[in-house]
Amino acid sequence: MKLYAGRTGRIGRKKAGLVLASALFVTCAAAQESPIKLGILTDMSSLYADNGGQGSVIAAQMAVDDFKGKVLGRQIQVVYGDHQNKADIGATLTRRWLENENVEVILDVPNSAVALAVQGITREKKKIFLATGAATSRLTGDECSPTGVHWTYDTYALSQGTTRAISRLGEKTWYFLSADYSLGAQLEADSRKVIDATDGRVVGAVKHPINTPDFSSFLLQAQSSKANVIALANAGGDFVNAVKQAGEFGITRYQKLAGLIVFIADIHSLGLQSAQGLLLSSAFYWDLNEETRTWTKRFVEKTQKVPTMIHAGTYGAVMHYLKAVEAAGVLDGPTVAAKMRATPVNDFMTKNAKIRDDGRLVRDMYLFSVKAPGESKYKFDYYKLLATIPGEEAFRPMEEGGCPLLRKQ
């Protein structure tokens, strides 16, 4: 009796082991078959939607399609979410994606406050964050991450281009109209350093809430300062509204407006009559060369919109990430990030660029002026190239950023 029971127990344990092994095999097979997810965390419905938004989702999908849709034998899937320009919502989406939905990399994030929250979470989880839409230079400064790459542009580079160019025109006094969150604060801080270095003077500043419909009180304060230049340290819909209302008040007849972060979608919304003469810096313009024009033609066919530097940057970041995954043979965040840093970036937007140890992709930037209506010859013909700024000059020297990673080396 005891022998029979023992034999039955051995058979039961053997069956249980077979069941467990089968379950493990099924689980592993499912993991192998499940898609590799890329998460586009963006603004789908508010003031940055034209600059990132659905265009970033489409740009990412274009890169996946050009990569033939698979890496490491698995399908690649693009998912997206709307952070609504709120850091808590962006953080909640990020955690859900990484902890429950197997998202491997997060991209875009056109809001600096949200991007800083995402950087902290991806650093903790050892996942990749490719900030193609965020601006704050803190992402490669005190908030740098071994798995974070600041891809397209930043507040320092934009300040170096636009603010320095205007200072060279002899303008000496400045007034800042800044968005009251991380983007505005960092743009203003980085620009002030350039103004001080060029013997300029800031005569005043005012902050406005994000997504402000009425700029009248802020603009009247700027007008009364009699500053040579009113610097707009805001973006997207806020920038567009400020420029339109400044024109309505007649401010632009006596004072220059400087857009510190301007996208071609903003110029399209404003129209050349309102935007003509603006100086701006950008990491991309669709009409620079044959490669940029070819890619843009594909993008416009899918969206009917002109691509911004965020859209172009998102495409390039996805391609570089997928190449790094393929070369590394794994999805592990730190391993893939190291491979991305070790590999030069080359695409239609960026040539022979390197990702530094602090996570900054160092690429050329461009200084443009907005054409007058009579100078524009065809659709989206908005910019006149004034100068190419080499990446080494455009971006903050790595040792000046305060990135903690550098102290550990």
Side-chain angles (χ1 to χ4, degrees):
M1 184 75 179
K2 188 181 282 186
L3 179 62
Y4 181 79
R7 190 178 174 192
T8 303
R10 286 195 299 275
I11 292 171
R13 285 194 297 273
K14 186 175 181 181
K15 285 184 177 178
L18 287 170
V19 169
L20 179 60
S22 297
L24 287 171
F25 177 80
V26 169
T27 301
C28 292
Q32 288 298 315
E33 294 172 2
S34 64
I36 295 172
K37 295 181 182 179
L38 318 181
I40 308 300
L41 185 59
T42 189
D43 178 356
M44 296 297 291
S45 56
S46 188
L47 73 168
Y48 305 134
D50 287 341
N51 299 329
Q54 191 64 34
S56 291
V57 178
I58 290 170
Q61 188 62 53
M62 286 171 65
V64 170
D65 293 344
D66 288 350
F67 206 80
K68 308 306 181 188
K70 295 183 76 172
V71 68
L72 304 184
R74 293 164 62 182
Q75 295 292 327
I76 306 163
Q77 181 182 357
V78 176
V79 300
Y80 63 88
D82 187 349
H83 58 51
Q84 300 176 43
N85 292 298
K86 296 178 181 177
D88 57 341
I89 291 176
T92 298
L93 273 170
T94 298
R95 287 195 179 278
R96 190 185 80 201
W97 277 355
L98 299 184
E99 294 173 0
N100 303 323
E101 298 180 19
N102 300 316
V103 171
E104 295 293 341
V105 57
I106 293 176
L107 299 103
D108 196 2
V109 196
N111 179 298
S112 289
V114 180
L116 290 169
V118 173
Q119 181 97 311
I121 296 167
T122 51
R123 182 172 53 229
E124 170 199 337
K125 300 293 184 181
K126 297 183 178 180
K127 294 290 187 178
I128 301 286
F129 175 33
L130 305 178
T132 57
T136 177
S137 57
R138 290 185 62 196
L139 290 170
T140 55
D142 62 316
E143 289 290 342
C144 67
S145 166
T147 55
V149 179
H150 203 175
W151 190 270
T152 312
Y153 61 96
D154 64 24
T155 51
Y156 184 95
L158 296 172
S159 301
Q160 284 294 306
T162 308
T163 310
R164 193 173 296 279
I166 293 173
S167 295
R168 285 172 178 165
L169 295 176
E171 307 296 353
K172 292 297 183 183
T173 57
W174 296 69
Y175 189 98
F176 281 92
L177 202 163
S178 304
D180 193 11
Y181 77 109
S182 302
L183 168 72
Q186 199 65 55
L187 269 176
E188 183 177 330
D190 287 339
S191 294
R192 281 175 176 265
K193 292 175 184 175
V194 176
I195 293 166
D196 289 343
T198 53
D199 297 323
R201 183 165 55 94
V202 177
V203 298
V206 64
K207 297 186 183 302
H208 68 81
I210 189 172
N211 220 356
T212 297
D214 183 4
F215 279 87
S216 56
S217 64
F218 308 115
L219 288 168
L220 289 172
Q221 291 178 64
Q223 186 180 40
S224 64
S225 74
K226 294 184 168 40
N228 300 143
V229 183
I230 300 172
L232 302 176
N234 53 17
D238 283 336
F239 169 78
V240 170
N241 286 337
V243 173
K244 284 182 177 177
Q245 292 172 39
E248 291 166 5
F249 285 128
I251 290 173
T252 52
R253 290 201 297 269
Y254 305 102
Q255 293 166 289
K256 280 188 171 64
L257 287 184
L260 298 180
I261 174 169
V262 182
F263 296 90
I264 196 166
D266 304 330
I267 303 303
H268 185 72
S269 295
L270 283 167
L272 295 184
Q273 190 63 46
S274 297
Q276 61 182 309
L278 272 172
L279 294 174
L280 61 98
S281 297
S282 181
F284 171 77
Y285 178 48
W286 74 271
D287 205 13
L288 277 176
N289 54 55
E290 195 56 42
E291 280 188 279
T292 58
R293 287 188 284 272
T294 299
W295 183 85
T296 295
K297 181 180 179 183
R298 293 174 55 207
F299 182 88
V300 172
E301 286 172 352
K302 294 176 181 294
T303 65
Q304 308 308 309
K305 295 181 178 180
V306 61
T308 69
M309 58 179 162
I310 294 177
H311 301 146
T314 299
Y315 176 97
V318 169
M319 286 295 288
H320 194 68
Y321 168 76
L322 293 175
K323 289 175 182 176
V325 168
E326 186 174 63
V330 295
L331 288 171
D332 175 68
T335 303
V336 175
K339 181 62 69 174
M340 291 181 74
R341 282 166 163 78
T343 309
V345 177
N346 276 292
D347 57 41
F348 69 92
M349 176 186 182
T350 309
K351 299 299 180 188
N352 297 316
K354 293 283 288 184
I355 301 169
R356 298 188 314 205
D357 291 339
D358 62 353
R360 176 68 257 166
L361 174 60
V362 180
R363 59 143 50 79
D364 291 348
M365 295 287 290
Y366 306 96
L367 180 68
F368 298 103
S369 65
V370 177
K371 290 183 175 182
E375 295 177 295
S376 180
K377 304 303 181 187
Y378 40 85
K379 191 174 183 180
F380 305 137
D381 179 23
Y382 296 157
Y383 290 174
K384 180 163 49 180
L385 178 64
L386 300 180
T388 299
I389 308 167
E392 292 74 16
E393 295 179 20
F395 292 97
R396 179 179 60 202
M398 187 164 60
E399 61 274 12
E400 294 180 11
C403 172
L405 297 175
L406 306 181
R407 294 198 292 269
K408 297 176 183 178
Q409 294 179 357

